[in-house]
Amino acid sequence: MEGGLGRKGVDSGAWAWDYTGVQGIKDGVTCGALAAERGAGMGEVREAPAWVRRLVAGRGVRLSEKTLYWWGVHLSRFLKHCRNGGAGASENLASAMGQYLAAMAEGGTAKAFQVEQARQALDVFRDGVENWHWREEGERVGPAFRLKAAAGKAEGGGRKSEGARGEDLGSGCEVPGAGSGVGEPVSTFNNQHAASNAQEVSSGGEVWDGRGGLGGMVEAMRRALRVRHYRLRTEEAYLQWAERFGRFCEDRDAADWGNREARRFLEHLALERNVSASTQNQAFSALLFLFETVLGRPLGEMAGTIRARRPERLPVVLSREEAKRMLAAMEGTVGLMARVLYGTGMRLMEVLRLRVKDIDFERGQITVREGKGAKDRTVMLPERLREALRAHLERVRVLYDRDRAEGVGGVWLPGALEVKYPNAGKEWGWQWVFPSKEISVDPRGGARRRHHVHANTLGKALGEARRVAGIDKPVTAHTMRHSFATHLLESGADIRTVQELLGHSSLETTMIYTHVMERRGVAGVKSPLDE
């Protein structure tokens, strides 16, 4: 095949294009404006199909001509993928997108940035089309859809978008995905339909349409969570609860789910599963998101629901001597991480997500980015850790240089930074302070990159150190944080200063440590037996 294009089979029976040495694209497979059969080379101007231009313009996305062209490549390949997969594989748009991206990532020839570019194009495609269906009309067999009204056009405005060839985006068009005739208007829908469609776009367009069964609902929730930039750990937890709730209510149609089913599920967790209050609250938060955002019908008053009791527990705190024994039993990178935990009071994930740029040796402070509640704060850089951290970063720099030489993808970046600054992930300042030894695959974009150390690595090291130090108390990363706060208060630090260092929103949360301080409360009262 011309331009080095080939096909590679996958287990699902679908296929993904070989991205090795891509030069030209044949008409009907991708962009028809520069057909390979005309002998076009890489130096000539390439254009995206008209329908892709209308799609992008209608969503208000601004792209360079080069990026727009490659978006057209990805979208056309996706439609070809759906047509080859058949009606069953193309029934649900979200599932088809997931299968295509997975096949593309697993094919082995697509680079990480190509998978990410395809995902971005498909996200805009998903938000910009409606009436996705399988169509069989003579020789035109394959998935078809309509372009949604452009934002702001359905209200009757007269603005026309560049690249739309003078057509009113509010009128829309139906586009077959069978290959031939891509981008040619087939039918139109009236302005009233366009207005109602624009209303759907403004609400986010994430309401599940009931297709795809439980898997379709979970996928719709996944999209809604990612649009709102929820953390991956939160996404995984919410999706797990959504699936468990769906299986719990499998005897009832999803259209009938409401307060009664949600209450039954929460009471089942409290009474039969004996879950903790925090676990039940997490499930409740997941259901609130599911009903309001995915099912499109917010839960009403939930008064009367049996809730698990939240026990009033005191934090486990190490004495100063125990903390010294713990840290003495830990060496290497995990030992340094444990010292950062105890020396700064940071949470476990805050330590793992530290970037090189967040450590300011000159000012003697560490900036915590997007801590709990998506809030930034600064903490002290312990003097005893300065040289240890400098030496550690020198070793990390060697690993960083090797990754750059081997062409490993850049580190994960928050929000849309990876799109705005494509090379920022390869800059030294953005690297993880505590990187993993292994290269992993990004679960969201499929890119191969080096992530930070796994949370279990430090957890296991703390457990082993506790055993070696002969400490009977349970010790976790949060125990080091509790000990940090308690020992500061015992040293006379102002409680509001401790509150700021810990990142607590409420002073009441910080005051819990006053109950476990030495020389206060029970510890400061002499038993009559000792008199």
Side-chain angles (χ1 to χ4, degrees):
M1 184 171 289
E2 291 185 23
L5 285 172
R7 290 190 296 182
K8 194 164 188 173
V10 292
D11 294 339
S12 63
W15 51 269
W17 286 94
D18 188 342
Y19 275 72
T20 304
V22 174
Q23 296 293 327
I25 314 298
K26 276 188 172 294
D27 186 21
V29 175
T30 54
C31 301
L34 183 67
E37 56 261 36
R38 294 192 309 184
M42 289 297 287
E44 298 184 38
V45 178
R46 299 170 293 186
E47 297 181 355
W51 72 268
V52 175
R53 288 182 173 276
R54 291 198 296 273
L55 167 71
V56 173
R59 295 302 97 203
V61 179
R62 299 182 62 182
L63 300 173
S64 67
E65 282 297 318
K66 181 179 179 181
T67 302
L68 182 62
Y69 168 78
W70 283 110
W71 275 36
V73 170
H74 294 305
L75 293 176
S76 297
R77 287 179 182 170
F78 168 67
L79 296 176
K80 187 79 172 181
H81 169 90
C82 293
R83 186 182 67 165
N84 282 269
S90 304
E91 180 180 354
N92 181 268
L93 176 58
S95 298
M97 287 170 52
Q99 292 171 7
Y100 176 72
L101 290 173
M104 186 176 174
E106 294 169 3
T109 58
K111 295 182 179 179
F113 81 89
Q114 292 170 322
V115 177
E116 177 62 19
Q117 189 180 59
R119 184 191 65 77
Q120 294 166 5
L122 287 172
D123 283 345
V124 173
F125 176 78
R126 179 198 64 222
D127 295 336
V129 304
E130 65 174 1
N131 193 27
W132 173 267
H133 64 284
W134 183 261
R135 169 174 163 167
E136 297 186 13
E137 291 184 6
E139 296 183 356
R140 292 194 173 196
V141 178
F145 53 88
R146 285 176 174 170
L147 297 183
K148 287 181 177 180
K153 282 293 293 177
E155 301 300 327
R159 179 179 59 85
K160 294 183 180 180
S161 178
E162 181 181 355
R165 292 199 273 184
E167 293 183 25
D168 183 358
L169 289 174
S171 64
C173 65
E174 186 169 338
V175 182
S180 60
V182 171
E184 296 301 322
V186 178
S187 62
T188 60
F189 57 99
N190 58 36
N191 289 332
Q192 182 178 1
H193 190 172
S196 63
N197 181 56
Q199 200 170 24
E200 178 186 353
V201 174
S202 67
S203 66
E206 298 136 349
V207 176
W208 179 45
D209 59 6
R211 297 181 183 180
L214 180 58
M217 182 190 75
V218 172
E219 186 60 32
M221 187 168 180
R222 188 192 310 277
R223 291 201 310 271
L225 288 164
R226 292 186 179 181
V227 165
R228 289 159 178 78
H229 303 292
Y230 277 68
R231 294 280 191 186
L232 181 60
R233 289 158 67 97
T234 304
E235 175 187 313
E236 292 172 347
Y238 276 27
L239 293 180
Q240 177 201 43
W241 285 119
E243 185 171 355
R244 289 179 64 176
F245 175 71
R247 298 192 184 285
F248 181 80
C249 302
E250 60 185 0
D251 58 329
R252 295 181 62 84
D253 191 278
D256 298 328
W257 292 351
N259 280 39
R260 178 173 174 270
E261 286 69 29
R263 183 178 291 110
R264 282 178 52 223
F265 180 66
L266 294 174
E267 292 181 350
H268 161 76
L269 293 177
L271 299 177
E272 299 180 33
R273 303 293 297 177
N274 294 319
V275 301
S276 66
S278 59
T279 300
Q280 191 192 41
N281 286 337
Q282 185 188 66
F284 183 48
S285 298
L287 291 186
L288 287 176
F289 187 92
L290 172 66
F291 274 86
E292 180 174 355
T293 307
V294 182
L295 300 181
R297 45 180 187 275
L299 286 174
E301 179 61 42
M302 295 290 288
T305 304
I306 298 177
R307 306 295 295 273
R309 290 187 58 188
R310 180 182 292 275
E312 296 182 4
R313 300 188 185 279
L314 294 175
V316 176
V317 175
L318 299 176
S319 67
R320 294 174 185 268
E321 182 59 32
E322 289 173 331
K324 290 180 181 179
R325 298 208 311 267
M326 276 284 300
L327 297 177
M330 302 182 72
E331 298 179 348
T333 301
V334 290
L336 180 59
M337 294 167 66
R339 287 168 175 79
V340 172
L341 281 171
Y342 176 64
T344 65
M346 296 166 64
R347 299 177 178 90
L348 171 60
M349 294 309 299
E350 292 171 347
V351 171
L352 297 183
R353 291 171 180 157
L354 270 181
R355 313 265 186 169
V356 173
K357 65 181 181 61
D358 296 330
I359 302 180
D360 191 336
F361 289 99
E362 296 297 325
R363 303 183 65 185
Q365 65 183 29
I366 298 174
T367 302
V368 180
R369 304 289 183 185
E370 294 191 22
K372 192 172 183 179
K375 295 179 295 184
D376 291 358
R377 72 179 190 280
T378 57
V379 296
M380 73 283 280
L381 172 60
E383 288 294 329
R384 290 189 177 184
L385 294 183
R386 279 179 176 268
E387 293 308 314
L389 279 171
R390 287 185 187 274
H392 172 75
L393 290 180
E394 289 180 3
R395 294 190 294 270
V396 173
R397 184 67 190 236
V398 174
L399 188 64
Y400 163 76
D401 291 337
R402 189 177 71 191
D403 285 349
R404 299 289 73 76
E406 296 178 355
V408 177
V411 297
W412 174 84
L413 298 178
L417 283 177
E418 196 162 12
V419 179
K420 190 174 183 180
Y421 305 108
N423 295 320
K426 297 180 180 180
E427 295 178 2
W428 169 241
W430 282 98
Q431 304 307 302
W432 305 110
V433 172
F434 300 107
S436 171
K437 294 181 180 179
E438 306 294 335
I439 301 296
S440 57
V441 177
D442 191 328
R444 287 186 167 176
R448 290 182 69 255
R449 60 172 102 242
R450 190 178 299 278
H451 203 45
H452 57 63
V453 172
H454 196 281
N456 290 347
T457 301
L458 183 55
K460 292 178 181 178
L462 286 170
E464 178 63 19
R466 180 190 67 83
R467 185 187 65 80
V468 173
I471 298 174
D472 297 326
K473 303 172 184 176
V475 178
T476 65
H478 224 62
T479 305
M480 309 304 286
R481 175 176 162 88
H482 293 325
S483 302
F484 163 84
T486 304
H487 295 167
L488 276 184
L489 291 173
E490 289 173 352
S491 299
D494 179 69
I495 192 170
R496 290 200 175 273
T497 301
V498 176
Q499 177 191 0
E500 292 180 7
L501 290 172
L502 294 176
H504 286 163
S505 299
S506 172
L507 185 62
E508 292 183 2
T509 307
T510 313
M511 288 181 66
I512 189 69
Y513 299 112
T514 62
H515 297 286
V516 291
M517 291 170 53
E518 292 181 357
R519 300 182 301 279
R520 298 285 178 89
V522 174
V525 178
K526 181 179 292 188
S527 167
L529 184 61
D530 295 330
E531 294 181 352

